[in-house]
Amino acid sequence: MADLSVNICGIPFKNPIIPASGVFGYGREYERYYDLSKLGGISTKGTTGTKRTGNLPPRVAETPMGMLNSVGLQNPGIDAFIANELPHLLSCDTVILANIAGSTPEECAEVAAKLDQTDVHMIELNISCPNVKQGGAAFGTSCTAAAQVTKAVRAATKKPLCVKLSPNVTSITEIAKAVEAEGADALSLINTLLGMRIDLRTRRPILHNNMGGFSGPAIFPVAVRMVWQVANAVSLPVIGMGGVMSGEDAAELMMAGASAVQVGTAIVQDPYAPLRIIDELNDWLDSNGIDTAAELTGSVRAW
Amino acid sequence: MKQDKYTEKLTYRVSSMEQLNAAAWSMVIDCPECAAKAEPGQFVNLLPDGAFTLRRPISICEINKEKGTLRIVFEVRGKGTKALSELRAGDTVNMLAPLGHGFTLPEKDTRVILIGGGIGTPPMLPLAQYFGSNAVVISGFRNQDAVILQEDFAATGAKTILCTDDGSAGRFGLVTLPLEEEIKAEKPALICTCGPLPMLKAAAALASAYEIPCQVSLEERMGCGIGACLVCACRTKDANGDEQYTHVCKNGPVFNAEEVIW
C-alpha cells in the first residue's frame, strides 16, 4: 500500500483523486454508491452569485472517446449552496473545493467573499467555462481579463485560491503566469476544449448551444501537454485534469507536473470511476516499487 | 471492459435476447437486486462494450420480481444500440438500474388509458400488467413492420387498440382518435403515455381538455443518469408556476403533464 497523500497549498489530501466540477453535483447523487470520504477531494458544481437555469437542451453529445456538454453553469446560486449544500459537504471528511464563476469580476469576488466566511477548504475560480456568454471563457482567454478577475477574487478571500484555466488559448503558459502574478495559490487545468457536432439528418448542431465543451479520453494528450507546459512555467502547484480514465492516466498526468488529478467524464460513464482510479493508482505504485504518489509530480524525464 | 471490484457491482448477465423486428430487440437481464427495487416508468442505463463514453438509457418493459429479471425493448438507432443488440444470452452487460422517477399509480381497479408510440410503447407494459382489464392500451406505430408487443399487451387482459400511420395494421391514423373515443365512452382516472413529443403533447392536451390527470414519460440526451451532471434538462413549472429546468433522469422520466412546458 503506497502513501497516496498529497499536499496542496498546505491542505492535506488523503489521495490525489478529485471528482471534477460539474459531473459530481454537490456529491449527493453519489452517496448511494459509496462513502465520499474515500475521495481525495470534491470540486463542487460551478456556483454563481445568483441562480442560473443553464442552457436549452440538448446539452450533451457523444463523440468517439469523448463527449460534448453545454450545461451552462446551471446552479442554485451561492447563498443556496452555502445554506443547503456546503454544511453537508463539509461533514464528508474530504477536501471541498468550491468551484465558482460569474459574469463579472465583481460577481466572482462577491461569491468568493461569501465563501471566505465558511469552512470551505479551497476556492476554485472557473475562468474557463466555454458554455456561457459572459464571464467564463471570456475571462480565461485573455491575460488581462484573467489577471483582472483573479485580482478581484484574491482581494475578497484569504482561502487558498485555485484558478481553473481554459485550453482554448494560444498560450496557456502566458495566462498561467498572469494569474500567478495576481496571487493565485494553485492552478487547475484543463477545462474542456470547445467543440461541435452536427446531426447530418437535420443539419442541426446536436447541442442547442451549437458549441460545447469537449471532454473525455480523446483530450487526454492535450491535458498532459498543457499540464507539463504550465507546471514548467509557474511555481504554483497544478491540479491536472482532462480525460483521465484510469490510475495509469492519473500517474501520467502527475509525472507531467500535476500534484493532484481531477476526474470528470469517467464519472459520467461510471459512478465508481474515482474509487477504481484510486485503487489502480495504488496498484501501479506498488507494482513499480514507488512508495509515495507525491513523488510522481513533475518526474517526467523530458527529452 | 476491465473487470475490477467496482465494475463487477454493475455487471449483470443477459438471460435472453430476442429480435422483435428489423430494428427492435428484447433483452432480459438477470438482476435480482435491481428487479426488487424497480417500478413501472423507471429506466436502466447501459454501457455498450467498445469505444463509447456515454451510457444508453432504456425504459423498463417488464419487471419480474420473482425471477429477479428486468426486460427492456429497444431499437437500434446508432452504434451504441447496435452494440447492445449484439449481446446474447450468457453475455454480461454493464448497467445502472433502476433509475429515475416512475409512474405514480392509483389502485389497480382504476380505469386508465395507456398510450404508447413507437419505441415509447415498452414502458406501458408494466402498467398494463398492473391494471390488467382496467386498462385500455392504445399503441401507435409507423406501419405494420414496426408493430411490437401486441401479444404481451393482450396477455395482460387489457383492451388493446392498435393504430398505424399508414393503416397497414390496426386502425389508420393517430392514437388521439381512439383516445378521445375511449374518454367519451368512459372517462378514465388517469392517462399514461410515452412516445414521440408531438404524440405526448396531443395526448396531454386531450387529457387537459377533459380534466383527466396525465403522466408523460419524457426523453432527452442523457449523461450520468443519476441527476448529477445536469445535461438531460427539460423545461417544467415549479410549485409557483415558475419555469425551471429539471432533469429527465432524476425528476423524471415520468412527469405530470401539467408540469411540462412543451
Side-chain angles (χ1 to χ4, degrees):
Chain A
M1 184 77 197
D3 176 2
L4 294 179
S5 67
V6 297
N7 192 301
I8 300 170
C9 307
I11 301 168
F13 290 69
K14 60 187 81 171
N15 66 64
I17 305 302
I18 304 164
S21 178
V23 298
F24 212 67
Y26 299 119
R28 293 188 189 274
E29 289 78 13
Y30 290 88
E31 286 185 301
R32 71 167 127 157
Y33 295 103
Y34 46 85
D35 183 351
L36 302 183
S37 72
K38 294 179 191 295
L39 302 167
I42 297 170
S43 176
T44 57
K45 173 67 189 169
T47 302
T48 50
T50 51
K51 178 181 171 172
R52 290 206 189 181
T53 52
N55 291 328
L56 281 165
R59 295 178 175 182
V60 69
E62 193 178 44
T63 199
M65 303 309 281
M67 59 178 271
L68 292 90
N69 88 81
S70 60
V71 173
L73 292 179
Q74 179 177 355
N75 80 92
I78 187 64
D79 293 339
F81 170 71
I82 290 172
N84 306 329
E85 305 293 346
L86 189 58
H88 176 67
L89 283 163
L90 289 172
S91 74
C92 290
D93 186 26
T94 188
V95 177
I96 304 302
L97 294 81
N99 185 289
I100 67 166
S103 303
T104 61
E106 293 72 29
E107 183 183 354
C108 295
E110 181 197 323
V111 172
K114 287 181 175 174
L115 285 166
D116 195 62
Q117 305 301 310
T118 71
D119 291 327
V120 78
H121 304 104
M122 186 182 269
I123 293 173
E124 183 179 52
L125 171 63
N126 179 5
I127 61 166
S128 45
C129 178
N131 293 324
V132 291
K133 289 192 175 70
Q134 292 179 314
F139 290 144
T141 51
S142 112
C143 288
T144 318
Q148 193 189 2
V149 66
T150 304
K151 186 178 182 179
V153 172
R154 177 74 289 168
T157 180
K158 294 195 162 49
K159 298 276 184 194
L161 174 62
C162 177
V163 179
K164 184 168 176 179
L165 304 184
S166 171
N168 305 308
V169 294
T170 308
S171 171
I172 196 167
T173 54
E174 293 306 311
I175 306 274
K177 286 179 195 166
V179 165
E180 180 181 37
E182 292 300 341
D185 299 304
L187 301 173
S188 55
L189 60 137
I190 57 176
N191 205 321
T192 52
L193 291 149
L194 199 55
M196 182 169 176
R197 293 298 307 271
I198 297 167
D199 182 323
L200 293 182
R201 190 178 57 82
T202 61
R203 303 193 184 204
R204 287 274 198 192
I206 293 175
L207 300 174
H208 200 281
N209 206 42
N210 297 323
M211 301 183 291
F214 174 28
S215 64
I219 73 162
F220 180 65
V222 180
V224 175
R225 184 265 293 183
M226 288 192 157
V227 164
W228 181 65
Q229 287 182 308
V230 169
N232 283 297
V234 297
S235 54
L236 302 178
V238 171
I239 301 175
M241 78 194 88
V244 171
M245 300 298 280
S246 68
E248 292 190 2
D249 291 345
E252 185 171 339
L253 212 45
M254 291 180 79
M255 283 185 192
S259 297
V261 171
Q262 293 189 6
V263 178
T265 301
I267 302 178
V268 176
Q269 181 180 84
D270 178 357
Y272 291 107
L275 301 195
R276 178 173 50 75
I277 291 170
I278 292 165
D279 282 2
E280 288 170 354
L281 178 62
N282 179 67
D283 292 348
W284 185 85
L285 291 166
D286 282 351
S287 61
N288 286 278
I290 301 167
D291 296 332
T292 68
E295 69 194 74
L296 291 176
T297 299
S299 65
V300 58
R301 297 165 59 231
W303 296 102
Chain B
M1 174 174 275
K2 202 169 98 179
Q3 285 299 309
D4 57 78
K5 68 183 181 186
Y6 299 111
T7 308
E8 263 171 32
K9 290 178 201 279
L10 305 180
T11 302
Y12 300 92
R13 201 180 63 87
V14 176
S15 60
S16 76
M17 191 74 186
E18 185 194 349
Q19 187 163 14
L20 302 184
N21 62 34
W25 290 78
S26 168
M27 183 192 293
V28 179
I29 302 162
D30 195 12
C31 52
E33 61 270 42
C34 303
K37 287 183 276 185
E39 292 170 11
Q42 290 188 297
F43 68 97
V44 307
N45 215 4
L46 298 177
L47 182 63
D49 274 338
F52 299 102
T53 303
L54 299 175
R55 290 174 180 270
R56 268 56 180 175
I58 298 171
S59 60
I60 296 171
C61 173
E62 224 172 327
I63 303 162
N64 190 325
K65 293 187 192 277
E66 280 148 37
K67 288 188 184 161
T69 58
L70 292 177
R71 179 188 182 196
I72 56 169
V73 168
F74 61 95
E75 262 182 15
V76 174
R77 290 278 179 88
K79 291 173 188 161
T81 41
K82 176 81 168 56
L84 291 173
S85 76
E86 285 160 3
L87 291 169
R88 293 294 175 266
D91 290 344
T92 58
V93 64
N94 186 302
M95 174 173 80
L96 285 169
L99 300 177
H101 167 79
F103 291 99
T104 305
L105 299 180
E107 295 302 315
K108 291 183 182 188
D109 58 357
T110 312
R111 173 172 164 86
V112 297
I113 300 179
L114 313 175
I115 308 151
I119 203 61
T121 306
M124 295 299 115
L125 187 57
L127 299 177
Q129 289 169 337
Y130 175 80
F131 290 107
S133 60
N134 296 304
V136 177
V137 181
I138 306 171
S139 29
F141 300 92
R142 285 186 306 279
N143 54 42
Q144 185 173 16
D145 294 342
V147 174
I148 50 170
L149 297 174
Q150 294 307 296
E151 286 161 19
D152 297 82
F153 281 114
T156 66
K159 176 179 176 182
T160 59
I161 301 169
L162 172 65
C163 306
T164 51
D165 296 349
D166 64 357
S168 56
R171 290 179 53 163
F172 173 81
L174 302 176
V175 294
T176 40
L177 294 169
L179 171 60
E180 190 155 18
E181 289 166 14
E182 285 294 325
I183 291 171
K184 284 178 175 166
E186 187 186 346
K187 190 171 162 177
L190 176 67
I191 293 171
C192 296
T193 181
C194 181
L197 202 59
M199 191 201 84
L200 298 183
K201 250 170 111 164
L206 269 179
S208 171
Y210 286 93
E211 298 180 331
I212 302 162
C214 178
Q215 297 177 29
V216 297
S217 179
L218 300 184
E219 181 172 59
E220 187 49 78
R221 286 176 180 265
M222 199 175 277
C224 67
I226 62 173
C229 77
L230 309 184
V231 299
C232 57
C234 59
R235 288 197 304 159
T236 57
K237 282 174 248 174
D238 67 14
N240 304 321
D242 293 334
E243 185 176 323
Q244 60 177 355
Y245 280 122
T246 47
H247 296 90
V248 170
C249 73
K250 187 178 181 179
N251 311 99
V254 179
F255 293 86
N256 287 319
E258 63 264 31
E259 286 175 74
V260 178
I261 299 171
W262 300 100

